[in-house]
Amino acid sequence: MSLKFKQLSPAEFFYNNKSMAGFDNQSRAVYTVFRELIENSLDACDTHSIRPIVFVSLKLNTREELEITVADNGSGVPARYIADAFGRIFFGSKYSVMQNRGTFGLGGKMAILYGQLSTGTPVEVITTTGKDVYKVKLSIDVKLNQPIIHEKKIEKNSHLLHGTTIKLSFKGDYITARSRILKYLHMTRIALPYATIIFDDPEGLFFVAPTLSHILPKPPRETPPHPYGVDIIKLKEMIESSKKDLPLYKFFLKFSRIGKVTAFNFSKLIGLDPFKPLRKLTDEEIKRIAEGLKSYKFLPPDASALSPLGLETIKTGINAEFAPEYIALCQRPPSAYEGFSFIVETAIGYGGNIPPPANGSDDIRLLRFANKIPLIYDASNDVSMRVILEDIDWKNYGLDLKSDPLLFFVHIAATKVPFKTAGKEYVADREEIRREIRLGLRECARELKSYLSKKAQQIHHAQRKEKMSVYLTLLAKYTSALAETELIPKTKLNALINKKGIEDE
Ligand SMILES: Nc1ncnc2c1ncn2[C@@H]1O[C@H](COP(=O)(O)OP(=O)(O)O)[C@@H](O)[C@H]1O
Ligand SMILES: [Mg+2]
C-alpha cells in the first residue's frame, strides 16, 4: 500500500481539532467566541494603560446562528498588521516575554475561523490607532493559512479616537451558554473594577459593569527571555537572528539577568571562549550552552513583565459583587518556574452576601483568574482547588468548608501561565505555583482567623455585659428595698458594669 503524504496548515489543524481551543460544542463555542474577543479588547487596553470600555452585543440571526459585535477603546491595530492579525493563525503581537491574556496568536482567529466555516460569512473589522480608520472584510484561507481580503475602505478619523470593532456571525447555542457568559461577566467585574463593560444580550438583558475604581494596574513591561525559559530550539532561533560575528559574551547579554560579569563567568564555566564569534559555534557547543543555561545559578526572572491586579482592585471587585463582612488579602512576592516569573494574589471573603455551602455540601466557592482571565470550566482539576482541598487544614484556622460562608479568590499573573489546554480552562499543578497559592491562602486564613476570634471575643463581652446588667438591676432593686434606701440610678449601674474590673471578672 502506498502512503499518501500531505501537509496540514495551522488553520486546518485547529479547525480539525476544535475542542483543543474550546469549540467542542455549540454552547461552548458561544462562550469561547465571546471570551476570546473580549480578551483581545482588554489586552489592547491594559498593555497601553487605557481604562477599558468594551461594548459587546449578541444577536440571534436565526435560531442557531448568532452575530457578535465587540467594540473597544484599545490601541487599535496598525494598518500593516490588520490582515495578518485577523487572518493568519499564529500571528500576533504577544509572543514577547510579558504578561498578556493572549499567547499563541490563535484565540481571536479561532473565533473568526469558526464563524467563517459555520456560517460562510467573513469577519468585519473596523480599527484605528488614532490616524485613519480601516474597515476591512476578510476571511482566512484555511489551506494556505493566510488572509483573503473581500473589502477594504479607509476613512478619515474625524474624532481622533482609537479602538477596534469586530463583527462576525457563527453557529451557537446561546440559551445553554448564557449562565456561563453571565458568570464570566461577573467575574470580569471582580477582577477589573476599573473597566466598563456593557453587554447587550439577545434576550433583552442589558448587563452593565460600570467603573468602580480609577486605579489601573501597572502595565506589564517587555523583558528579555530568562535563561531558564530558553530551550535549544529557542536558543538556535536567537543565534540565527543575531549577527554572525557577535562574540559569545555579547550574545549572552541578550538574556535577562545576564550582565557582563555573569556572561564571562558563564562562558568559563561551560568551557567556551567568551570572544568566540557565533558563526564558529559547533552543534555540540550550542547543546552545551543550552544545558548550561538551565543549570547555572542565575538571578530569578524580573517581575516587571508582570501586571498583578493589586489588593485595592481585588477588594473593590469582591466588595461590589459580595459585600462580605470581612476580606483577607495577600499579594505574594514574585517567584518563578522554568524562567517564567509569576505573582500569586489571594483573598478569602467571609459573610455578607456570600452564602454558606448548600446543606453541608462540598461546594467550594472559588474564583480563579490567570492573567486577569476568569477561569470557569474544570475547576476540580485546577491547582488552586487542589490547594484548598488537599494542602490546608482549615480547622487550624477555625474554618469549616462545609458550613462557613467563605469565598476564595486566586489570581496567577505570569509571563506564561501553565494552562492545561489551548482553551485556557485550568492551570496545571506546578509545585512552584502550588506553593505560592498555599502560602497566600494560609496568610489570608490567619488574618481571617484573627478577625473571627476578635469578633467572637466582642460578642462574648457584649453578652456578659447584658447578663450583668440584668443581675445588677435586680440586685440593686432588692438591696435598696431591704436597706430602705432610694434605688441607685440606672446610669450609675451602667457605669459600674462598664468598669473593666467587673467586666473581666
Ligand atoms: N481588539 C483588538 N485591539 C487591538 N489589537 C487586537 C485586537 N484583537 C486582536 N488584536 C491583535 O491581533 C493579534 C491576534 O489576536 P489573536 O488571534 O486573538 O491572538 P493572541 O491574542 O493570542 O495574540 C493580537 O496579538 C493583537 O495584536
Ligand atoms: Mg487573543
Side-chain angles (χ1 to χ4, degrees):
M1 192 178 75
S2 68
L3 296 174
K4 281 190 190 139
F5 287 82
K6 74 172 247 187
Q7 188 180 357
L8 213 56
S9 87
E12 274 178 303
F13 173 79
F14 278 104
Y15 191 74
N16 294 342
N17 296 282
K18 291 193 286 291
S19 61
M20 279 177 77
F23 291 83
D24 18 10
N25 57 55
Q26 294 210 354
S27 169
R28 187 86 173 253
V30 179
Y31 173 69
T32 306
V33 169
F34 182 88
R35 196 181 87 159
E36 291 293 348
L37 296 183
I38 293 185
E39 273 157 25
N40 279 350
S41 290
L42 294 172
D43 269 343
C45 294
D46 275 352
T47 38
H48 295 85
S49 285
I50 299 167
R51 201 173 60 68
I53 302 177
V54 182
F55 172 81
V56 190
S57 138
L58 260 180
K59 303 228 167 318
L60 289 175
N61 283 348
T62 63
R63 219 168 61 84
E64 279 208 316
E65 193 183 301
L66 292 147
E67 180 188 88
I68 188 167
T69 307
V70 179
D72 64 57
N73 62 335
S75 57
V77 183
R80 64 181 181 286
Y81 297 126
I82 298 172
D84 285 334
F86 299 103
R88 194 189 292 276
I89 305 274
F90 295 142
F91 185 94
S93 56
K94 306 173 193 169
Y95 289 108
S96 50
V97 181
M98 184 168 101
Q99 178 185 329
N100 265 313
R101 293 173 177 82
T103 38
F104 306 119
L106 177 69
K109 251 105 51 192
M110 270 307 288
I112 293 170
L113 186 63
Y114 175 75
Q116 166 187 329
L117 295 175
S118 61
T119 68
T121 53
V123 61
E124 288 178 51
V125 180
I126 304 174
T127 188
T128 170
T129 55
K131 296 178 191 140
D132 290 340
V133 180
Y134 286 78
K135 297 187 171 177
V136 184
K137 267 193 195 170
L138 64 85
S139 49
I140 301 172
D141 183 325
V142 180
K143 287 258 177 283
L144 299 177
N145 184 30
Q146 64 185 30
I148 304 169
I149 306 287
H150 300 281
E151 221 179 286
K152 182 173 165 182
K153 283 190 211 151
I154 306 173
E155 290 174 8
K156 279 267 151 286
N157 183 349
S158 45
H159 301 290
L160 295 178
L161 296 172
H162 48 80
T164 303
T165 300
I166 311 270
K167 190 195 242 184
L168 62 94
S169 295
F170 64 100
K171 279 243 158 72
D173 178 359
Y174 180 67
I175 304 300
T176 51
R178 190 175 192 233
S179 65
R180 281 194 200 266
I181 283 189
L182 291 180
K183 186 166 180 194
Y184 175 86
L185 286 170
H186 281 280
M187 283 184 62
T188 301
R189 180 159 107 119
I190 293 175
L192 275 70
Y194 56 90
T196 302
I197 298 180
I198 301 166
F199 173 44
D200 188 6
D201 136 304
E203 314 265 289
L205 170 117
F206 205 70
F207 176 96
V208 182
T211 309
L212 300 168
S213 154
H214 286 276
I215 307 171
L216 288 179
K218 164 189 85 63
R221 213 163 47 89
E222 190 176 341
T223 58
H226 188 275
Y228 295 160
V230 171
D231 57 18
I232 191 149
I233 296 171
K234 174 89 184 149
L235 177 67
K236 281 187 174 163
E237 211 182 279
M238 286 174 73
I239 293 175
E240 289 281 302
S241 60
S242 304
K243 285 201 184 110
K244 303 285 164 270
D245 285 333
L246 194 72
L248 195 53
Y249 85 90
K250 278 203 174 158
F251 172 72
F252 289 145
L253 299 181
K254 292 186 172 196
F255 290 88
S256 117
R257 300 307 203 188
I258 302 190
K260 218 165 163 183
V261 175
T262 311
F264 275 90
N265 287 343
F266 178 61
S267 306
K268 210 184 288 170
L269 189 96
I270 54 174
L272 288 175
D273 174 6
F275 293 98
K276 187 166 191 164
L278 291 185
R279 73 185 146 78
K280 288 203 172 159
L281 286 173
T282 64
D283 278 352
E284 188 276 324
E285 285 169 339
I286 294 177
K287 200 167 150 222
R288 215 186 313 157
I289 297 173
E291 282 162 6
L293 286 173
K294 291 260 182 264
S295 53
Y296 189 84
K297 225 171 161 34
F298 296 104
L299 282 173
D302 181 1
S304 58
L306 300 177
S307 170
L309 291 166
L311 301 187
E312 264 314 302
T313 299
I314 298 173
K315 197 170 174 180
T316 309
I318 296 180
N319 266 331
E321 285 281 321
F322 293 97
E325 176 186 324
Y326 191 78
I327 311 177
L329 299 136
C330 170
Q331 185 184 70
R332 296 285 307 152
S335 188
Y337 78 95
E338 281 182 9
F340 303 108
S341 53
F342 70 93
I343 288 180
V344 166
E345 296 174 299
T346 56
I348 304 182
Y350 179 91
N353 296 337
I354 303 167
N359 260 341
S361 73
D362 288 331
D363 241 1
I364 309 279
R365 201 168 286 269
L366 165 64
L367 307 180
R368 300 173 294 134
F369 299 86
N371 286 356
K372 302 177 192 162
I373 303 175
L375 307 179
I376 292 180
Y377 284 94
D378 291 332
S380 57
N381 291 317
D382 193 274
V383 60
S384 304
M385 191 60 99
R386 296 253 167 102
V387 172
I388 293 174
L389 293 178
E390 297 166 16
D391 293 3
I392 300 178
D393 190 352
W394 297 98
K395 282 199 291 301
N396 289 343
Y397 302 94
L399 297 172
D400 186 344
L401 295 186
K402 285 192 187 299
S403 59
D404 284 335
L406 293 169
L407 170 87
F408 297 95
F409 173 105
V410 177
H411 177 226
I412 302 162
T415 49
K416 184 177 170 196
V417 177
F419 284 117
K420 271 291 206 187
T421 57
K424 295 178 232 158
E425 300 306 347
Y426 68 97
V427 179
D429 186 358
R430 287 213 54 114
E431 185 41 41
E432 299 89 335
I433 294 182
R434 185 165 177 154
R435 176 174 179 273
E436 286 301 310
I437 298 173
R438 185 165 59 231
L439 293 174
L441 285 176
R442 276 201 185 134
E443 193 175 320
C444 294
R446 264 195 302 277
E447 195 187 315
L448 180 59
K449 180 184 178 188
S450 129
Y451 164 77
L452 289 175
S453 62
K454 262 189 215 134
K455 182 180 148 186
Q457 241 174 25
Q458 276 167 3
I459 292 174
H460 178 69
H461 284 174
Q463 283 168 345
R464 275 184 71 100
K465 258 190 210 170
E466 176 98 20
K467 268 191 203 153
M468 198 76 90
S469 163
V470 173
Y471 290 140
L472 278 185
T473 312
L474 281 176
L475 200 64
K477 210 164 130 189
Y478 292 134
T479 47
S480 58
L482 277 175
E484 293 178 357
T485 55
E486 278 205 11
L487 204 58
I488 305 177
K490 189 112 182 142
T491 46
K492 231 175 180 177
L493 267 182
N494 283 346
L496 212 61
I497 296 162
N498 285 329
K499 257 177 97 180
K500 211 168 172 351
I502 293 181
E503 196 183 275
D504 290 343
E505 268 300 292

